[in-house]
Amino acid sequence: MQNDLLALKTETDAALAAAADLRAWDAVRVAVLGRNGRLTGLLKELGKTPPEQRRERGAALNRLKDDLAVAIEARRTALEASELDARLAEEKLDVTLPPRPAPQGLIHPISRTEEEIAAIFGAMGFSIAEGPDIESDWHNFGALNIPAHHPARADHDTFYLPPIGPLGGNEPPRVLRTHTSPVQIRSMLAAPPPLRVIAIGRTYRADHDATHSPMFHQCEGLVVDRDITLGHLKGCLIDFLRAFFGISGLPVRFRASYFPFTEPSMEVDIGWNRRTGELGAGGDWLEILGSGMVHPRVLANCGLDPREWQGFAFGMGVERVTMLKHGISDLRPFFESDIRWLRHYGANPLAPVMLHEGV
Ligand code: PHE
């Protein structure tokens, strides 16, 4: 090859090797094969070559042109491959990474409290019982020792349902359950003792203001066995309240009261500070739930011999304990679906129920 052509080939090869990316490569290509490129220039000068050398020079230039085209093309393929490799290395997808949590909405504080209550009583060996929201008058009142003209009926602002069915208005009355206590009756009728159940669900009373909603939630508890005493009731509820509120020394007081379906009956109070609203040893007492030993007549109404079986029961308001635990002062937003309130008080659905005091 003629010297100048050899130099062009060597320099182009070097420039191609030095081109680190496709931009630099394209600059080399244009500098050699472009309209003002070096090879293009040499081809243009072919006309000035003495005729006796022109043939040989022309053939050499064409061979060089082919060589350079091949070398340039080869470099492009190599650069494209390495750019792809680099991108693949950089955009590596680690399929073992945990997924990023997508925003998913939150758990309503009522549901969260229900989960916590179930977790605590679950750890104590309780299982979940259920009953219908529409109850027979007998389950809601009669079997619980609240007969038709009992004054305790007046305490419950009951929603009665219109009679429907084949008896043309003579059906036994049905109500929206005013408490979860009918699930006590259903549990005792459904399975023989020993029983250890809680029932969480909706309850209804015709009452509506800042602290009362016509629909609210209760949690009922029932234990029936041969040797159940008031001591079991107290130990169970003290442990529950301390675990639920996360206060290990939470003062708990049992105060004599009256419910038709328990004897003796007790109102349970927890310690708090009336001024600051803080729960604990604040010197004041706050009523939190109702409880007592299952009335012998209630056991008998469910076919259990009260000389053989004894039990305790309790009932508490789910909204009430939620409000106390989280410092919520108004009951109404629980049922208003205000997204700002829900975002503030809602719980992360992926976070497990954590009760710092354990059980
Ligand atoms: N059912 C009662 C209420 O709604 C609470 C309660 C349940 C009391 C069980 C004693 C035993 O007020």
Side-chain angles (χ1 to χ4, degrees):
M1 203 186 294
Q2 286 131 335
N3 278 344
D4 58 338
L5 303 195
L6 194 61
L8 178 55
K9 172 78 173 109
T10 314
E11 284 162 31
T12 304
D13 283 344
L16 282 174
D21 55 26
L22 287 169
R23 260 181 90 113
W25 165 86
D26 199 49
V28 177
R29 183 185 64 82
V30 171
V32 178
L33 298 181
R35 193 138 33 105
N36 300 314
R38 282 173 68 186
L39 185 77
T40 318
L42 293 176
L43 283 167
K44 279 183 195 151
E45 283 165 12
L46 192 57
K48 294 182 202 146
T49 312
E52 61 276 13
Q53 293 166 17
R54 202 176 291 162
R55 213 183 129 91
E56 197 192 337
R57 176 83 178 163
L61 275 171
N62 277 328
R63 267 199 313 278
L64 177 61
K65 191 181 173 188
D66 290 347
D67 283 357
L68 289 175
V70 168
I72 287 171
E73 195 51 30
R75 184 62 185 149
R76 186 175 70 108
T77 311
L79 281 172
E80 276 176 356
S82 68
E83 277 187 15
L84 184 62
D85 284 347
R87 245 180 64 204
L88 286 176
E90 192 182 323
E91 296 174 6
K92 193 161 51 183
L93 184 69
D94 184 349
V95 293
T96 66
L97 282 175
R100 251 166 272 181
Q104 274 189 331
L106 298 161
I107 302 282
H108 192 283
I110 290 291
S111 307
R112 190 57 171 186
T113 295
E114 292 180 355
E115 290 174 350
E116 291 171 357
I117 292 173
I120 297 170
F121 283 109
M124 293 193 212
F126 284 70
S127 49
I128 304 275
E130 280 180 306
D133 289 16
I134 297 176
E135 262 300 4
S136 76
D137 184 83
W138 184 78
H139 285 95
N140 194 80
F141 293 121
L144 287 162
N145 198 31
I146 317 174
H149 300 290
H150 194 286
R153 290 232 183 181
D155 295 345
H156 294 216
D157 306 284
T158 310
F159 287 111
Y160 284 91
L161 278 94
I164 41 152
L167 297 181
N170 290 318
E171 287 76 15
R174 292 172 313 144
V175 301
L176 290 180
R177 65 179 180 187
T178 58
H179 50 177
T180 41
S181 299
V183 187
Q184 286 187 39
I185 305 302
R186 292 184 174 275
S187 303
M188 287 187 270
L189 292 173
L195 292 172
R196 218 187 277 191
V197 294
I198 56 165
I200 311 176
R202 294 193 178 110
T203 48
Y204 305 83
R205 291 184 198 178
D207 212 352
H208 200 187
D209 59 35
T211 53
H212 296 88
S213 151
M215 188 282 294
F216 58 106
H217 297 74
Q218 282 193 342
C219 171
E220 194 82 9
L222 174 71
V223 171
V224 180
D225 208 333
R226 289 183 202 279
D227 300 305
I228 295 299
T229 70
L230 207 60
H232 295 119
L233 180 161
K234 292 177 73 175
C236 173
L237 289 178
I238 291 171
D239 281 355
F240 165 74
L241 291 168
R242 290 180 176 168
F244 178 77
F245 288 110
I247 304 172
S248 55
L250 182 68
V252 181
R253 177 173 80 169
F254 294 81
R255 183 164 41 81
S257 183
Y258 172 76
F259 297 103
F261 35 91
T262 47
E263 183 59 36
S265 302
M266 290 175 303
E267 225 56 88
V268 184
D269 302 338
I270 56 173
W272 76 312
N273 183 326
R274 191 185 302 280
R275 228 170 11 84
T276 62
E278 208 180 316
L279 300 179
D284 300 312
W285 292 104
L286 191 66
E287 181 185 316
I288 193 123
L289 57 90
S291 68
M293 302 304 291
V294 181
H295 196 295
R297 223 175 277 157
V298 173
L299 293 168
N301 287 342
C302 299
L304 298 177
D305 183 348
R307 285 162 304 183
E308 191 182 348
W309 301 105
Q310 303 196 60
F312 70 80
F314 58 86
M316 72 184 148
V318 175
E319 284 79 3
R320 182 159 171 76
V321 294
T322 306
M323 288 166 80
L324 289 171
K325 182 166 179 168
H326 301 291
I328 301 171
S329 55
D330 192 337
L331 174 68
R332 290 167 293 194
F334 277 98
F335 310 116
E336 282 172 353
S337 301
D338 183 330
I339 198 74
R340 295 161 300 177
W341 187 90
L342 290 168
R343 268 199 206 110
H344 185 77
Y345 288 108
N348 178 355
L350 296 177
V353 173
M354 298 279 251
L355 296 154
H356 12 157
E357 288 305 315
V359 187

